[in-house]
Amino acid sequence: MDSPFWIYAIGLSAQVFYTGRIFVQWYLSEKHHKVESPSLFWVLSIIGSMIMFLYGCLRSDFSIIFGELFTYYIYMWKIGAKGLYAKVPRIVPVLQALIPVAAVIFLMRDI
């Protein structure tokens, strides 16, 4: 292990959010007897992705950050399509949109 335990704990917490979203979708799909795409699934997805960006920065791992870039904006799009951004201050999606940019800039500091 080349990183402190607390960094791995951050990565594990991201995985907890990703796992939680699958359980939410699975439970609601079984309950309604059809495939569901609940809002909570997308909220848990973006939280997990934000934490994964932090983990990738702490490990200086380009592959983690690059892997999250595309799906992160899909999560944002789905949250917007479900009308959830209308319920939060306008600054929330703006700050969310800047997180991947900040992560990439953080990685490029050593280039």
Side-chain angles (χ1 to χ4, degrees), residues 11-87:
L12 182 61
S13 68
Q15 293 302 323
V16 167
F17 278 96
Y18 282 134
T19 301
R21 73 187 183 145
I22 297 300
F23 281 121
V24 166
Q25 185 178 34
W26 171 65
Y27 172 76
L28 291 175
S29 294
E30 290 295 321
K31 181 178 176 183
H32 297 125
H33 303 290
K34 65 179 183 170
V35 177
E36 293 287 334
S37 176
S39 297
L40 183 57
F41 175 87
W42 300 106
V43 171
L44 292 173
S45 296
I46 203 157
I47 291 170
S49 192
M50 286 189 285
I51 297 170
M52 193 59 81
F53 274 122
L54 174 61
Y55 177 69
C57 285
L58 291 172
R59 296 212 26 156
S60 295
D61 192 324
F62 174 77
S63 63
I64 291 173
I65 291 174
F66 184 74
E68 291 295 315
L69 277 174
F70 302 106
T71 57
Y72 185 83
Y73 289 110
I74 292 171
Y75 302 152
M76 285 190 70
W77 175 77
K78 288 300 286 185
I79 288 170
K82 289 191 166 278
L84 299 178
Y85 284 132
K87 300 174 184 178

